């Protein structure tokens, strides 16, 4: 079974990106959550989630991102969502989550924000 | 102008629903595709999750008049009314309760007419210490995108969620 | 106030349809049960007979607003337009033709908008010698009971007959 | 298979009545038509059809009655529909058939009309 989620670890942070899934919704969210939780539990604290391949996130999908956010916050880490499309940002607004997640247009600026 | 389709009652259908809405969005114009898809997707997922009759189809009717009226049928007995009251029980009229509570937003459900449950958002001064909710956000997001959201209990017919955008 | 149900696409369902309409008629009040039943029965039988996709359900939506709006979906590619024109062909707009001819009544079908076929009755001085028609009376009777009758072709959605009473 | 239709023959006329079918519609009309045609073809000319047990007739059902009317007219016979409910009469009006069929409230008056 191909992984939905890929992890690239670096000294200060890890990048989670999506492969083979463009909808983070009620159909995919459970599996994505399980895979992410599995990857993050190792000694990772700062995490970037690259959402540039994700064109749609529903409330279950956002629920997964919230639970990842909580896990990282409990480890005093930082979570930045990278490359979120304008449409998905509008959905985030509907979900009242715009002031809950930190966004960055690309990895470069996300790294700058990490060290800010 | 009416767009009508029915879908089998399972989550996998959200793909076919999204494709259909792509064409509908072109004709509707007053709401962008991603919002139209999100609102109907959320309602559809709820109808699948909370509907009881799993072989009944879910019918989606989109009516473009002055407003955009979206109807999603619900193959089940619909929202539970507190104290196990029936939506047709005169005593239940006027009952209102909190359906979902987030840091600064509550979804209020109120039984107005004998068969109509209307939903509204009540913003409250943010009590930040409240735990951030992972779910129960579907109706919040539909309410933010819609002018009006209500659920209708109809004996011997399909119950339905009615969204006006 | 919406009444929505879907029925398998076969004639035997007219029984279940009639039972359902008994309750709907009580709530609707503006049209007696036997007329409501007859009009929807005729449209339903046509949808069964002329619809092509036999496993698609037929959805009936009854909307009570000022008028009574009845929508019966049609699991098929709908009315044939003469000269094998498509209802979306600009050239077909304005085309009108005679769908059924009785002694003193003609059912005229006219393609108004690119997807809307509207029907009307044209009374003609009775030419009694014309053979009394045994069938082709369904639309005549619906037209006599309705304020407005039209058929709508909707790509990727269900086509539907729309009756305003 | 029970008959839908019953025939009672008298010297001057025959009475057709319905048993076990209260809807004369697209489901029942073909069988009713076949049964009626079978019964009428013998040397019967004047026919009364007792519709008092029929609560609903659709356009296919009316089509059956029209074809019986034609058969009888070709034999210079007379057809009278007996005991048609007010509701079915309204449907007849929708079908523009009120001036096509002769109605009688009951058999007695139908017989009077036959000899008028
Ligand atoms: N179609 C429905 N039928 C019955 N109950 C529903 C329906 N949709 C939502 N609900 C109820 O409303 C609550 C809030 O729904 P929602 O905001 O979508 O969040 P979630 O589904 O994640 O709980 C649900 O927990 C459920 O109890
Ligand atoms: N739902 C439909 N889809 C396609 N064609 C239809 C439909 N309903 C009616 N028609 C066409 O209109 C004609 C007249 O229909 P109607 O008045 O019901 O009489 P009948 O069905 O007995 O022919 C039909 O012969 C058919 O060609």
């Amino acid at each position: 079974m191909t992984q939905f989620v890929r992890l690239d670890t670096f000294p200060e942070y890890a990048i989670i990106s999506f492969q083979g899934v463009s909808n983070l919704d009620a159909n995919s969210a459970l599996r994505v959550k399980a895979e992410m939780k599995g990857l993050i539990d190792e000694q990772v604290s700062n995490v970037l989630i690259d959402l540039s391949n994700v064109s749609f996130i529903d409330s279950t999908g956002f629920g997964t991102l919230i639970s990842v956010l909580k896990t990282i916050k409990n480890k005093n880490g930082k979570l930045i969502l990278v490359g979120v499309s304008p449409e998905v940002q509008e959905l985030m607004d509907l979900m009242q989550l715009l002031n809950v997640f930190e966004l960055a247009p690309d990895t470069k600026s996300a790294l700058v924000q990490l060290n800010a | 102008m009416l767009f009508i389709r029915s879908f089998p009652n399972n989550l996998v259908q959200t793909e076919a629903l999204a494709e259909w809405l792509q064409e509908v969005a072109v004709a509707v114009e007053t709401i962008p595709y991603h919002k139209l898809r999100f609102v109907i997707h959320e309602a559809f997922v709820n109808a699948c999750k909370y509907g009881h009759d799993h072989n009944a189809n879910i019918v989606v009717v989109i009516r473009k008049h002055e407003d955009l009226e979206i109807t999603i049928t619900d193959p089940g007995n619909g929202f539970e009314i507190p104290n196990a009251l029936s939506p047709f029980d005169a005593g239940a009229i006027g009952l209102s309760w909190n359906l979902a509570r987030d840091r600064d937003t509550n979804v209020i459900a109120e039984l107005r007419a004998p068969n109509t449950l209307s939903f509204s958002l009540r913003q409250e001064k943010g009590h930040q210490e409240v735990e951030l909710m992972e779910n129960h956000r579907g109706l919040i997001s539909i309410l933010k995108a819609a002018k009006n959201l209500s659920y209708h209990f109809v004996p011997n017919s399909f119950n339905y969620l009615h969204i006006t955008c």
Side-chain angles (χ1 to χ4, degrees), chain A, chain B:
Chain A
M1 273 261 276
T2 54
Q3 287 292 95
F4 272 174
V5 164
R6 216 171 79 105
L7 182 76
D8 297 296
T9 25
F10 301 84
E12 294 302 311
Y13 59 93
I15 301 185
I16 288 181
S17 52
F18 288 81
Q19 45 194 20
V21 61
S22 64
N23 294 327
L24 180 48
D25 64 9
N27 290 299
S28 58
L30 285 189
R31 209 176 115 185
V32 165
K33 189 173 174 179
E35 288 182 17
M36 274 204 208
K37 285 279 174 101
L39 295 174
I40 290 173
D41 285 353
E42 289 110 30
Q43 73 316 335
V44 162
S45 56
N46 293 328
V47 173
L48 309 185
I49 300 185
D50 178 356
L51 291 168
S52 45
N53 297 339
V54 175
S55 57
F56 179 73
I57 306 181
D58 75 355
S59 63
T60 317
F62 282 117
T64 296
L65 295 177
I66 293 170
S67 95
V68 168
L69 177 64
K70 285 185 188 170
T71 314
I72 291 170
K73 273 201 173 156
N74 294 349
K75 303 196 289 183
N76 300 320
K78 218 176 173 195
L79 170 67
I80 301 180
L81 305 182
V82 177
V84 179
S85 73
E87 288 79 13
V88 172
Q89 284 185 44
E90 242 190 275
L91 302 186
M92 254 184 189
D93 180 33
L94 291 185
M95 296 285 295
Q96 316 231 91
L97 292 173
L98 267 183
N99 48 23
V100 165
F101 289 107
E102 189 175 344
L103 307 184
D106 47 52
T107 317
K108 210 156 97 336
S109 27
L111 294 180
V112 168
Q113 288 169 217
L114 256 192
N115 307 324
Chain B
M1 188 58 184
L2 285 177
F3 298 88
I4 309 175
R5 261 193 68 169
S6 74
F7 298 86
N9 175 358
N10 66 55
L11 287 179
V12 175
Q13 289 296 322
T14 51
E15 211 66 44
L17 177 66
E19 258 161 59
W20 174 51
L21 290 177
Q22 222 148 14
E23 273 116 36
V24 172
V26 169
V28 158
E29 288 151 5
T30 49
I31 177 172
Y33 166 61
H34 64 281
K35 248 191 188 173
L36 182 70
R37 176 188 180 180
F38 185 82
V39 165
I40 298 180
H41 173 100
E42 289 296 319
F44 187 89
V45 166
N46 280 347
C48 290
K49 273 197 310 194
Y50 302 105
H52 301 285
D53 172 0
H54 281 298
N55 31 41
N57 282 333
I58 294 176
V59 179
V60 182
V61 182
I62 301 171
R63 183 171 184 280
K64 190 181 163 205
H65 213 49
E66 295 90 21
D67 286 328
L68 189 66
E69 283 175 44
I70 303 168
T71 304
I72 297 111
T73 63
D74 193 286
N77 19 39
F79 282 77
E80 265 146 45
I81 317 290
N83 336 354
L85 282 170
S86 128
F88 305 100
D89 184 330
I93 307 302
L95 192 69
S96 85
W97 66 96
N98 196 318
L99 201 58
R101 185 191 310 278
D102 187 16
R103 279 191 180 152
D104 47 18
T105 326
N106 289 335
V107 175
I108 307 299
E110 192 200 348
L111 200 65
R112 287 250 188 76
N115 65 347
T116 311
L117 194 59
S118 8
F119 303 100
S120 54
L121 282 181
R122 194 165 357 99
Q123 309 289 3
E124 268 165 19
K125 266 293 115 290
H127 12 75
Q128 291 314 337
E129 80 306 337
V130 166
E131 181 68 31
L132 186 64
M133 259 192 337
E134 272 178 41
N135 38 40
H136 305 322
R137 288 185 170 282
L139 293 182
I140 289 180
S141 49
I142 299 176
L143 272 166
K144 279 205 73 178
K147 287 185 189 165
N148 192 298
L149 178 65
S150 52
Y151 187 89
H152 300 258
F153 300 88
V154 193
N156 293 307
S157 296
F158 293 160
N159 293 333
Y160 58 92
L161 191 72
H162 192 68
I163 308 168
T164 316
C165 298

